[in-house]
Amino acid sequence: MKADAAIDALGALAQEHRLALFRLLVQAGDGGLAAGMIAEKLGVPNSSLSFHLTQLREAGLVLQERQHRSIIYRANYPAMNSLVAYLLENCCAGAADCGAGVACETPAQERKSA
Amino acid sequence: MKADAAIDALGALAQEHRLALFRLLVQAGDGGLAAGMIAEKLGVPNSSLSFHLTQLREAGLVLQERQHRSIIYRANYPAMNSLVAYLLENCCAGAADCGAGVACETPAQERKSA
DNA sequence: CCCTTATTTCGATAAAAGTCGAATTGTATT
DNA sequence: AATACAATTCGACTTTTATCGAAATAAGGG
């Protein structure tokens, strides 16, 4: 993962509605949620929500797919994984135990997943 | 972790210089780095860097400590851990295997670390 | 085809974030 | 107490982000 992609992803998550939206999709799992359903759950006007969905999609954090009249959104888990890996890359210069706890023990750093 | 804290942390990381700065500290480990050293490594004016350090500190992602004339900054690993846990909380509604891969298998979700 | 539903794009506006030189504060040295 | 050094605060400015109603696009049903 490159710095620009990480900044886009973090920026996409750093907003009240988008953070709530992403967590909603993370919890929804494979089934995903339709745009209208999300707008209703978050209490945000459709046009505003559409703006936020675009941000998350362009940042690579969510995937979209048309189903009949609705558009279904899903969390992109691999993208999330590589974002976390990027943040913790070479933690404590690679020392096995550096007091960082779980953060430093991410099982798969810099995998090819996204 | 609460939503506001997560937004602050994500917003703090969603910026070119601050992301590079945080990763620098993550890699530096327990020794930390002095403000001046960071400014030099990043090629950012002191006043700009100070602004960014404040952002990261207020977001809880870095810790500061005075040492003689310098101020040493360190990554706050527990804060990072709880941020990741917050993002992936109740992933796939708690299903053991949901295709999310590593992301969904965070060992310590919502611990009291930060 | 016309009509309803689902979602996005447009456009104008308001609010927040980033930049950096100059001045300031705090700490050590002689 | 005068000087040098390390870092932060101030202030004026530019750029980016967020909001949401109204109009447009897309898909399916009668």
Side-chain angles (χ1 to χ4, degrees), chain B:
Chain B
M1 166 167 263
K2 295 190 219 99
D4 285 351
I7 293 167
D8 287 350
L10 291 163
L13 292 171
Q15 206 278 339
E16 182 187 355
H17 299 314
R18 289 195 297 264
L19 179 57
L21 164 38
F22 181 74
R23 281 175 25 103
L24 207 56
L25 292 181
V26 163
Q27 293 174 24
D30 283 349
L33 287 173
M37 187 70 199
I38 299 169
E40 190 182 336
K41 286 210 184 204
L42 296 183
V44 170
N46 271 338
S47 64
S48 298
L49 183 83
S50 191
F51 168 74
H52 293 306
L53 281 168
T54 299
Q55 303 286 303
L56 284 168
R57 186 173 48 72
E58 288 184 347
L61 288 169
V62 306
L63 305 169
Q64 72 177 183
E65 178 198 352
R66 174 141 232 154
Q67 264 185 22
H68 310 287
R69 276 191 276 198
S70 297
I71 297 186
I72 306 297
Y73 283 86
R74 290 184 180 77
N76 186 352
Y77 297 103
M80 188 69 219
N81 287 340
S82 57
L83 174 61
V84 173
Y86 180 78
L87 289 171
L88 302 175
E89 195 174 278
N90 196 26
C91 177
C92 300
D97 182 16
C98 62
V102 180
C104 227
E105 297 158 20
T106 307
Q109 288 197 357
E110 202 57 42
R111 44 165 51 188
K112 294 294 183 295
S113 49

Side-chain angles (χ1 to χ4, degrees), chain A residues 62-99:
Chain A
V62 307
L63 305 168
Q64 72 176 182
E65 179 198 352
R66 176 139 231 153
Q67 264 186 24
H68 310 287
R69 278 192 275 200
S70 298
I71 297 187
I72 306 296
Y73 284 86
R74 290 184 180 79
N76 185 352
Y77 297 103
M80 189 68 219
N81 287 339
S82 56
L83 174 61
V84 173
Y86 180 78
L87 289 171
L88 302 174
E89 194 174 278
N90 197 26
C91 178
C92 302
D97 182 15
C98 62

